[in-house]
Amino acid sequence: MIVRLALAFSVMAALPACAQPAPVQSYEVVRTYPHDRQAFTEGLLVRDGQLYESTGLEGRSWVRKVDLETGAVQQQADLDPKYFGEGIVDWGDQIIQLTWQNGIGFVRDRATFAVKSTFSYTGEGWALTKDDRRIIMSDGTDELRFLDPKTLKETGRVKVTDDGRPVDQINELEFIKGEVWANIWQTDQIIRIDPKTGKVVGRLDLSGLLTPQEARRADVLNGIAYDAKADRIFVTGKFWPWLFEIKVAK
């Protein structure tokens, strides 16, 4: 009996630990800033203290540079009404922009917003972010695509999973301290993804950011921006009246 028990314990010790769902964390609001209630937010980023935002909907899609403190529009470029704009990312002196179902993206001059070139991709375009060597793209599925920043050609993909299960509806993206943070469409959650493995290492529950009255006039949470120089995280949503600076609660 002792030998059998010892053998059983030995076999159990050799088995891999069972996967566990990613832990759910809460948040604290650091500051609140004004946000355009007419903005159907798709992409959000901070560069050199300036906020850049892109929106969707045909005939209402644009890219803007916005004063973070006041929400005042400093610069804007409108898309042709036939395009439904999606996420943006900066790379060097460029702003790269997706469209939803048109299969075309735009490379813009960051200073003037003028279109310098276009590129194409299969499937839908949802959001963009970057690490120090590549562009990272979401398409609404359970995969992240990796793009060469020079050619904007796809170089690989990774499947996103939590507790071994695929996670889809991955929307707006931001790269924060080695992780890809992503809005999950039609939820109040942001997931934190290890880009090497695709595993979800954490979830952030952002419910309650808007009051019930504000929420009735707003659409879903969507928009993450990280100011790496000041270590600040910003979030907003489609038709939201506010941009929130938040931190993860301990």
Side-chain angles (χ1 to χ4, degrees), residues 18 65 78 90 93 135 138 145 185 194 244 248:
C18 293
K65 182 167 70 172
D78 298 323
D90 64 307
D93 62 355
I135 303 294
S138 66
R145 307 185 191 187
W185 186 50
D194 180 342
F244 298 92
V248 178

Coordinates of all heavy atoms in Angstrom, one line a residue, residues 18 65 78 90 93 135 138 145 185 194 244 248:
C18 N -3.0 22.3 -13.5 CA -4.2 22.7 -14.2 C -4.2 24.2 -14.5 O -3.8 25.0 -13.7 CB -5.4 22.3 -13.4 SG -5.7 20.5 -13.2
K65 N -5.9 64.9 -33.9 CA -5.0 65.2 -32.8 C -5.7 66.1 -31.8 O -6.3 67.1 -32.2 CB -3.7 65.9 -33.3 CG -2.7 66.2 -32.1 CD -1.3 66.6 -32.7 CE -1.3 67.9 -33.3 NZ 0.0 68.4 -33.7
D78 N -10.5 63.7 -42.4 CA -11.7 62.9 -42.6 C -11.4 61.8 -43.7 O -10.8 62.1 -44.7 CB -12.9 63.8 -43.1 CG -13.3 64.8 -42.0 OD1 -13.2 64.5 -40.8 OD2 -13.6 65.9 -42.4
D90 N 1.1 54.7 -34.2 CA 2.1 55.6 -34.8 C 3.4 54.7 -34.9 O 3.6 53.8 -34.2 CB 2.5 56.7 -33.8 CG 3.0 56.3 -32.5 OD1 2.3 55.4 -31.8 OD2 4.1 56.7 -32.1
D93 N 7.5 58.7 -38.0 CA 6.8 59.9 -38.3 C 5.5 59.6 -39.0 O 5.0 60.5 -39.7 CB 7.7 60.8 -39.2 CG 8.1 60.2 -40.5 OD1 7.7 59.0 -40.8 OD2 8.7 60.9 -41.3
I135 N 4.4 45.8 -35.8 CA 3.0 46.3 -35.6 C 2.1 45.0 -35.2 O 2.3 43.9 -35.7 CB 2.4 46.9 -36.9 CG1 3.3 48.0 -37.4 CG2 1.0 47.3 -36.7 CD1 3.4 49.2 -36.5
S138 N -5.4 43.5 -34.5 CA -6.6 42.6 -34.2 C -7.6 42.7 -35.4 O -7.6 43.7 -36.1 CB -7.2 43.0 -32.9 OG -7.8 44.3 -33.0
R145 N -2.4 39.5 -35.2 CA -1.5 39.4 -36.3 C -0.3 40.3 -36.0 O -0.4 41.3 -35.4 CB -2.2 39.9 -37.6 CG -3.5 39.2 -37.9 CD -4.0 39.7 -39.3 NE -5.4 39.3 -39.5 CZ -6.0 39.5 -40.7 NH1 -5.4 40.1 -41.7 NH2 -7.3 39.1 -40.8
W185 N -14.9 43.5 -27.2 CA -16.0 44.2 -27.8 C -17.3 43.8 -27.0 O -17.6 42.7 -26.7 CB -16.1 43.9 -29.3 CG -17.2 44.7 -29.9 CD1 -17.4 46.1 -29.8 CD2 -18.2 44.3 -30.8 NE1 -18.4 46.5 -30.6 CE2 -19.0 45.4 -31.2 CE3 -18.6 43.0 -31.2 CZ2 -20.1 45.3 -32.0 CZ3 -19.7 42.9 -32.1 CH2 -20.4 44.0 -32.5
D194 N -0.1 38.0 -23.0 CA 1.4 37.8 -23.2 C 1.5 37.6 -24.8 O 1.0 36.6 -25.3 CB 1.8 36.5 -22.5 CG 3.3 36.2 -22.7 OD1 3.9 36.7 -23.7 OD2 3.9 35.4 -21.9
F244 N -10.8 58.7 -19.2 CA -10.3 58.5 -17.9 C -8.9 58.0 -17.8 O -8.5 57.2 -18.6 CB -11.2 57.3 -17.3 CG -12.6 57.7 -17.1 CD1 -13.5 57.3 -18.1 CD2 -13.1 58.4 -16.0 CE1 -14.9 57.6 -18.0 CE2 -14.5 58.7 -15.9 CZ -15.4 58.3 -16.9
V248 N -4.4 50.3 -12.2 CA -4.9 49.1 -11.7 C -4.8 49.1 -10.1 O -3.8 49.4 -9.5 CB -4.0 47.9 -12.2 CG1 -4.5 46.6 -11.7 CG2 -4.0 47.9 -13.7

